[in-house]
Amino acid sequence: MGRSRRGAARTLASAAAVPVIALAALTLSAQGQDYRGWSAYGGGPEQIRYSSLRQINRTNVTRLQVAWTYDTGETGAMQTQPVVVGDVLYGYTPSHKAFAIRADTGARLWTFDPGIPDTGPNRGVMVWEAGTDRRVFAAVGNFVYALAASTGKPIATFGENGRIDLRQNLGRDPQFEGVRLTSPGVIYRDLMIVGGRVGESLPTSPGDVRAYDVRTGALRWAFHTIPHPGEFGYDTWPSTAWTYGGGANSWPGMALDERRGIVYIPTGSAASDFYGADRVGDDLFANSLLALEASTGRRLWHYQVVHHDIWDRDLPSPPSLVTVRRNGRRIDAVAQATKHGFVFLFDRTTGQPLFPIENAAYPSSSLPGEMTAAAQPLPTAPRPFSRQLLTEDTLTSRTPDLHRWAVEQFRTFRSEGQFVPLGTERPTVVFPGYDGGAEWGGQAYDPQTGLYYVNANDLAWTGQMAPSTGGQSGRALYLQHCASCHRDDRQGSPPEIPSLTGLATRHTESEIAATVRRGAGRMPAFPALPQTAVNALTQFVLTGEDAPVAARDAGGGAAAGRPDAPGIDNAFRFTGYKKFLDPEGYPATAPPWGTLNAINLNTGQYAWQVPLGEYPGLVARGLKNTGSENYGGPIVTAGGLVFIGATIEDRKFRAFDKSSGRLLWEATMPSSGNATPATYESGGRQFVVIAAGGKGTPGSGPGGVYVAFALPE
């Protein structure tokens, strides 16, 4: 953790008209706040996903029924949490068309089609209003549009013809950059503050956090998460890393303390994810929780959760602004959950940890050029909400044969817990896996009780490194840029990372080439590849045929590719994300495979933990309550309920008693609800709505439908 009067920020237009509020002078109490609406991603700027509505409660939740559905007319995955302002609900279709519907009936008001095909995650819009001017900010690919809330039409005076391009203003040639807004940022007064998703291998874009004027689209300030010369943290990287480094970006969203004027920003790992010889050092501000002055971008404090990350341990969700009790007094705090299963809790104004954090040494890397951090920090409380060490005792025992198989496989792995560097000789266990622990759905916090609700994955994955072969053939390009996700064998890790085998039966060569250029889903764009390289890569992906780049037709003029910077070191590559699954496709570890947890942030003690989700195939054999992989998060209400979908193997939407974790109600939806729900009041009725978007798993449904539940009229 560090503090400084000078941070890695530059102010591009005066924000001095917004007075800086003295940090020590204010306290913010959750009591007395009005949490009846859902006007922003996460329910509001605090990101606590809490509602004070209680029309739906423990006593009547079993009477919930479908009040309305909104069919987008599209199929595909959705991760959108709706935003409700007044009696209008805003969201996205699977292909990123923004829409507005009536919040009480689901009747369509308008749809905005930008004409840009895009199927990646898009988790919510941002809404700003002043007087009669209400704007909806909708992200599509590398653009953010300002739409008139009443019509859905772009506002021509914003940016260029109603949109800004996130590839601009990064200090590098925009034609070679790729930034997309998968999770919304926050609105602070007349500023829209955003991060973005970038690639995970070099070359890729830096993860600058930026603030734009909501009326004009002008850039007001930028914070360099890879510090430039003279900025705090510059000495934690190689001296020229700011010219070629990438990542350290804030992709999951952020939280805002409006009264203090502080924005809290979680960041991910630096590129490349698993090999850091070209970024020797701690790599500030990657894997950090940043507290910035919202009006200027000035750094107030930070805490780096993982030093020199080589395990893809991004901070996966927005932090939650909470208020805890210590020794009879109230402390405004910020809670951050992690992929490796911990909750870090800090004083909101000073950044001081509220539970002790211990630093311990871990093994060093065997890869030439790699220099692991001397130590890593872990909080002593709360205890982790996901298991930390895979042993033979924690392998599957569904049948004796499956257990023997799992033991045989396990004995070929290296399994020593957290922060074990990946090597080339054998697979290393990453547990919890690359997708958590906690994930992007976010956590819920109940200001009435101090309970913090986090859903978690509890699956083991493995990882391994391999020397890069170099060269400029289609296969060499695939191994360098694609195999880290889709694996050397192109099998992927469905449903999050699809298999590429048989792709020729589903897509044309031109479609694949366009996807490589602009990105799709969680896949980043690769704008720096010249057209000849894209052609060779596309041929290999579609047919498995390897051809030198020079042997492929440029297709009417090859784009000049950006040469790799001298500082980039691609000597080793990651061989792909691999779940540890048994021969039947189920997790090869013992259950639970997914959980919902309630943690008392006042004490650090657990109130309860229950399995979340089931596998229908195992339920048919009598094995229930195993928990399952889950994506999307919970919400909590004053009515005593925690609502959550998230589970990818069933199509259930569930309500739990927030005090005990007892399941009170569940409904089967058209598709899996892999998004975080929202709740609001319209026309005197409380509604709970979730995007049923599925994840592409068998039985998960086609997706594309929003489902709202309410009590009978």
Side-chain angles (χ1 to χ4, degrees):
M1 188 269 293
R3 304 188 70 203
S4 173
R5 293 179 178 270
R6 182 180 64 182
R10 53 194 172 99
T11 304
L12 299 176
S14 175
V18 181
V20 177
I21 301 173
L23 298 182
L26 292 171
T27 59
L28 182 62
S29 170
Q31 292 191 353
Q33 296 287 319
D34 182 11
Y35 293 108
R36 300 176 63 84
W38 212 267
S39 61
Y41 184 66
E46 303 94 340
Q47 291 286 349
I48 63 172
R49 294 162 174 76
Y50 169 78
S51 173
S52 57
L53 297 176
R54 58 181 71 236
Q55 184 182 94
I56 302 170
N57 55 56
R58 293 183 181 96
T59 65
N60 60 23
V61 66
T62 57
R63 298 172 55 210
L64 280 184
Q65 61 185 30
V66 175
W68 56 259
T69 61
Y70 177 68
D71 190 339
T72 65
E74 301 176 7
T75 59
M78 291 191 297
Q79 298 179 358
T80 303
Q81 183 185 64
V83 167
V84 182
V85 180
D87 290 317
V88 180
L89 181 148
Y90 303 97
Y92 289 108
T93 72
S95 68
H96 292 190
K97 297 180 182 70
F99 66 79
I101 60 178
R102 284 187 52 170
D104 58 345
T105 66
R108 189 176 74 89
L109 300 174
W110 54 256
T111 300
F112 169 67
D113 183 356
I116 302 173
D118 197 347
T119 57
N122 211 332
R123 299 181 181 122
V125 302
M126 296 169 283
V127 178
W128 170 84
E129 57 184 335
T132 59
D133 189 0
R134 180 188 294 176
R135 303 184 177 196
V136 177
F137 295 98
V140 185
N142 50 277
F143 298 107
V144 179
Y145 292 81
L147 309 177
S150 58
T151 65
K153 303 293 185 184
I155 299 170
T157 55
F158 179 83
E160 185 175 343
N161 298 318
R163 71 185 190 185
I164 57 173
D165 188 341
L166 296 176
R167 297 172 299 184
Q168 302 282 344
N169 301 305
L170 291 172
R172 302 181 186 180
D173 189 336
Q175 70 172 319
F176 298 130
E177 302 309 311
V179 184
R180 57 190 300 172
L181 194 63
T182 53
S183 299
V186 296
I187 302 293
Y188 176 69
R189 300 189 179 182
D190 61 350
L191 297 178
M192 174 181 65
I193 306 172
V194 297
R197 186 170 198 134
V198 302
E200 298 187 347
S201 60
L202 292 175
T204 193
S205 302
D208 292 5
V209 178
R210 291 172 285 179
Y212 296 88
D213 189 295
V214 295
R215 294 182 176 88
T216 67
L219 183 63
R220 294 271 289 272
W221 59 256
F223 181 90
H224 301 135
T225 59
I226 303 176
H228 290 201
E231 296 174 344
F232 187 94
Y234 171 74
D235 59 351
T236 66
W237 296 76
S239 61
T240 60
W242 65 280
T243 66
Y244 63 80
N249 54 305
S250 181
W251 59 264
M254 49 192 72
L256 173 69
D257 185 330
E258 290 183 299
R259 290 184 61 188
R260 290 183 172 88
I262 306 175
V263 59
Y264 299 87
I265 300 165
T267 64
S269 56
S272 295
D273 277 354
F274 299 98
Y275 183 62
D278 45 21
R279 51 180 176 88
V280 171
D282 279 353
D283 305 327
L284 287 177
F285 293 93
N287 306 90
S288 298
L289 181 60
L290 282 162
L292 304 183
E293 187 174 78
S295 59
T296 66
R298 181 172 65 95
R299 185 181 64 89
L300 302 174
W301 60 265
H302 74 273
Y303 191 91
Q304 189 174 51
V305 172
V306 181
H307 307 308
H308 190 78
D309 181 16
I310 51 173
W311 304 273
D312 192 21
R313 289 308 199 191
D314 298 355
L315 290 183
S317 55
S320 303
L321 303 189
V322 304
T323 301
V324 300
R325 290 189 175 275
R326 288 292 175 85
N327 301 318
R329 70 184 185 96
R330 301 172 63 84
I331 301 175
D332 290 342
V334 53
Q336 177 69 61
T338 74
K339 275 188 181 180
H340 52 308
F342 289 84
V343 177
F344 286 78
L345 189 67
F346 304 99
D347 183 291
R348 206 184 300 177
T349 58
T350 67
Q352 292 299 315
L354 297 185
F355 290 108
I357 296 176
E358 294 181 347
N359 290 276
Y362 292 90
S364 59
S365 174
S366 61
L367 299 183
E370 182 62 88
M371 294 183 64
T372 49
Q376 298 289 355
L378 291 176
T380 59
R383 61 176 172 80
F385 51 80
S386 292
R387 291 172 290 184
Q388 298 290 296
L389 177 65
L390 186 64
T391 64
E392 289 190 11
D393 294 338
T394 53
L395 300 178
T396 183
S397 58
R398 285 199 301 112
T399 71
D401 286 345
L402 288 174
H403 181 71
R404 280 192 293 272
W405 177 91
V407 169
E408 290 174 2
Q409 295 296 309
F410 177 77
R411 289 177 179 173
T412 68
F413 301 156
R414 181 182 184 184
S415 181
E416 299 173 18
Q418 295 296 328
F419 303 125
V420 176
L422 309 186
T424 59
E425 290 150 9
R426 56 176 174 156
T428 296
V429 172
V430 179
F431 188 50
Y434 303 106
D435 281 352
E439 252 297 335
W440 54 262
Q443 295 74 47
Y445 172 75
D446 186 351
Q448 292 181 319
T449 63
L451 293 185
Y452 177 82
Y453 301 91
V454 53
N455 56 303
N457 288 317
D458 216 332
L459 279 67
W461 298 52
T462 63
Q464 192 169 5
M465 305 298 289
S468 292
T469 57
Q472 285 292 297
S473 70
R475 182 176 184 274
L477 289 165
Y478 175 85
L479 292 176
Q480 179 182 350
H481 296 291
C482 311
S484 61
C485 289
H486 295 286
R487 302 176 21 171
D488 288 13
D489 57 9
R490 296 184 289 159
Q491 293 297 315
S493 294
E496 279 294 292
I497 305 172
S499 170
L500 299 182
T501 58
L503 206 60
T505 64
R506 306 191 298 274
H507 296 283
T508 67
E509 184 171 350
S510 61
E511 288 173 336
I512 297 300
T515 299
V516 171
R517 278 270 176 246
R518 66 171 180 258
R522 59 190 287 172
M523 171 184 163
F526 292 94
L529 291 178
Q531 189 62 47
T532 49
V534 173
N535 292 342
L537 176 59
T538 299
Q539 175 178 301
F540 177 75
V541 168
L542 284 175
T543 68
E545 298 174 8
D546 190 21
V549 169
R552 297 283 292 160
D553 177 50
R562 179 179 67 186
D564 284 358
I568 295 178
D569 189 334
N570 287 322
F572 291 88
R573 61 178 182 82
F574 182 59
T575 61
Y577 298 93
K578 298 175 184 178
K579 294 178 188 175
F580 185 28
L581 303 178
D582 70 24
E584 296 182 2
Y586 297 107
T589 54
W593 300 318
T595 61
L596 180 61
N597 306 267
I599 305 171
N600 188 323
L601 292 185
N602 297 316
T603 64
Q605 301 299 309
Y606 279 68
W608 49 263
Q609 181 184 73
V610 297
L612 177 63
E614 296 177 323
Y615 287 72
L618 295 181
V619 172
R621 303 183 206 177
L623 185 57
K624 302 180 179 180
N625 298 318
T626 57
S628 75
E629 201 170 1
N630 54 89
Y631 298 89
I635 65 172
V636 61
T637 75
L641 302 170
V642 175
F643 287 98
I644 189 169
T647 53
I648 69 171
E649 298 296 337
D650 57 41
R651 293 181 287 147
K652 299 292 182 66
F653 186 40
R654 296 175 169 91
F656 295 87
D657 185 309
K658 72 178 185 181
S659 299
S660 67
R662 183 166 64 94
L663 179 64
L664 299 178
W665 170 84
E666 63 181 23
T668 301
M669 297 188 298
S671 305
S672 299
N674 301 125
T676 302
T679 188
Y680 59 91
E681 187 177 68
S682 181
R685 299 178 76 191
Q686 182 182 355
F687 296 86
V688 183
V689 62
I690 188 169
K695 294 295 293 182
T697 53
S700 67
V705 178
Y706 287 76
V707 184
F709 297 88
L711 297 173
E713 290 188 271

